[in-house]
């Protein structure tokens, strides 16, 4: 499966948590709570803060405890949390090869290729950074695969002559979630760089409607099957482990660039293929969805 994604962040919030009393400070685009004992304040990751007392730079702003319990919670100063939503637009393809019984031959009997799959996904994301550099982050996404088509090919000698049919894809679904645990190894008021390890899950379903023969086989989808008839459904589930790195760069207090790269050392896939028009008791029919 190949997938190209372009994302746009719609909404984000940042909050700095610490110790002692809470003094809210107004900031452009965010809400910050300074909760730190006397001495250098926590790192806010933003450039300027406006409050009752002048503060030249949030990263070095002095903060006085307003409670006698402030010192007991000094280890929490500098922690932060951010969350928001994003929208992704995706375009990709999904293909599967079906081979003959390996005990008798190595021939490929059939190939299914879903291409031009396009759709949008809404995603929620969040990240918590502790004062010691530990981070926890994750995403949850849900979307539709509204367009695309299926090419279903069957090859000799399993079938003769060669067959190639086209079907319209619509009504597809995609959903995913991942959670990561990591450590920030480099940090400044303007940028940060972190390493992480995590687990992810992806579920995808695509459905093909109708069937039209575009090769020379006179027996498959001749005459054509209307596009309102469900022909094939592919359902796939992925579980995977990933190791990666992520970095942020604050251009201004309202603009941030984020990049992330990950390696997947282990993945487990399970799925089913349902040829709905061939499920039954007739010769060469299937008894139900085919496990993959």
């Amino acid at each position: 499966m190949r997938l190209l994604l372009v994302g746009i962040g719609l909404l984000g919030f940042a909050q700095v948590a610490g110790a002692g009393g809470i003094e809210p400070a107004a900031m452009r685009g965010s809400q910050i709570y300074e909760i730190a004992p006397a001495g250098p304040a926590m790192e806010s990751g933003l450039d300027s803060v406006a409050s009752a007392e002048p503060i030249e730079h949030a990263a070095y702003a002095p903060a006085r405890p307003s409670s006698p319990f402030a010192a007991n919670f000094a280890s929490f100063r500098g922690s932060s949390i951010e969350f928001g939503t994003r929208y992704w637009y995706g375009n990709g393809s999904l293909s599967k090869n079906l081979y003959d019984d390996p005990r008798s031959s190595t021939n490929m009997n059939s190939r299914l290729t879903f291409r031009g799959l396009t759709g949008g996904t809404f995603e929620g994301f969040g990240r918590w950074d502790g004062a010691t550099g530990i981070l926890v982050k994750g995403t949850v996404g849900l979307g539709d695969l509204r367009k695309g088509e299926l090419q279903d090919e069957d090859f000799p000698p399993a079938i003769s002559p060669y067959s190639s049919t086209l079907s319209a894809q619509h009504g597809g679904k995609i959903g995913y979630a991942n959670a990561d645990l990591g450590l920030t190894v480099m940090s400044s008021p303007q940028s940060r760089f972190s390493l992480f390890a995590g687990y992810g899950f992806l579920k995808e379903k695509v459905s093909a409607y109708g069937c039209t023969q575009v090769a020379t086989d006179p027996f498959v989808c001749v005459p054509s099957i209307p596009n309102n008839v469900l022909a094939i459904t592919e359902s796939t589930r992925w579980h995977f482990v990933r190791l990666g790195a992520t970095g942020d760069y604050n251009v201004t207090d309202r603009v941030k660039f984020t990049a992330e790269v990950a390696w997947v050392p282990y993945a487990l896939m399970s799925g089913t293929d349902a040829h709905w028009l061939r499920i039954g008791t007739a010769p060469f029919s299937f008894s139900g969805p085919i496990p993959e």
Side-chain angles (χ1 to χ4, degrees):
M1 179 179 65
R2 299 186 302 275
L3 190 62
L4 174 65
L5 296 173
V6 177
I8 301 175
L10 299 181
L11 178 63
F13 298 94
Q15 179 172 328
V16 176
I22 299 179
E23 299 179 3
M27 179 172 290
R28 299 189 303 274
S30 303
Q31 188 170 9
I32 300 297
Y33 293 92
E34 296 186 1
I35 322 171
M42 60 286 154
E43 221 176 81
S44 70
L46 298 170
D47 291 338
S48 61
V49 175
S51 65
E53 298 182 8
I55 298 177
E56 294 184 358
H57 200 288
Y60 303 99
R64 294 185 297 277
S66 59
S67 165
F69 301 102
N72 297 332
F73 299 92
S75 61
F76 289 97
R77 71 177 186 270
S79 62
S80 66
I81 184 171
E82 60 185 55
F83 57 90
T85 59
R86 287 189 286 247
Y87 177 81
W88 293 90
Y89 173 80
N91 180 280
S93 63
L94 171 68
S95 64
K96 184 190 76 170
N97 295 331
L98 176 64
Y99 291 87
D100 203 351
D101 187 334
R103 295 170 296 182
S104 59
S105 76
T106 59
N107 295 329
M108 183 168 67
N109 290 343
S110 178
R111 178 167 58 211
L112 300 178
T113 304
F114 287 87
R115 57 182 175 232
L117 300 174
T118 61
T121 302
F122 284 99
E123 177 183 289
F125 66 91
R127 172 169 171 162
W128 175 83
D129 287 85
T132 60
I134 296 176
L135 70 91
V136 179
K137 65 185 184 71
T139 58
V140 177
L142 186 65
D144 296 324
L145 299 173
R146 295 182 291 271
K147 297 181 180 180
E149 67 176 9
L150 166 66
Q151 181 182 15
D152 184 353
E153 300 174 274
D154 295 293
F155 303 94
I159 189 173
S160 183
Y162 164 76
S163 171
S164 177
T165 63
L166 294 180
S167 303
Q169 194 290 138
H170 53 84
K173 301 290 184 180
I174 186 170
Y176 59 89
N178 68 272
D180 302 315
L181 177 65
L183 181 68
T184 297
V185 295
M186 295 176 57
S187 179
S188 72
Q190 194 172 29
S191 62
R192 63 184 174 182
F193 179 77
S194 309
L195 304 176
F196 65 84
Y199 159 80
F201 170 78
L202 171 67
K203 181 179 180 180
E204 183 180 40
K205 183 179 78 172
V206 287
S207 297
Y209 289 79
C211 183
T212 300
Q213 179 66 235
V214 294
T216 58
D217 193 300
F219 307 106
V220 180
C221 293
V222 177
S224 297
I225 298 173
N227 281 340
N228 61 350
V229 177
L230 178 60
I232 295 176
T233 297
E234 288 278 338
S235 297
T236 310
R237 294 176 176 85
W238 294 86
H239 298 266
F240 53 88
V241 175
R242 63 192 201 127
L243 305 174
T246 182
D248 298 329
Y249 181 79
N250 295 312
V251 181
T252 70
D253 60 350
R254 294 193 180 192
V255 178
K256 178 177 73 174
F257 287 108
T258 300
E260 181 172 302
V261 60
W263 171 53
V264 178
Y266 172 80
L268 175 66
M269 187 277 283
S270 63
T272 59
D273 172 284
H275 278 57
W276 298 109
L277 302 181
R278 294 184 58 188
I279 294 178
T281 58
F284 307 107
S285 294
F286 303 119
S287 59
I290 306 169
E292 299 177 7

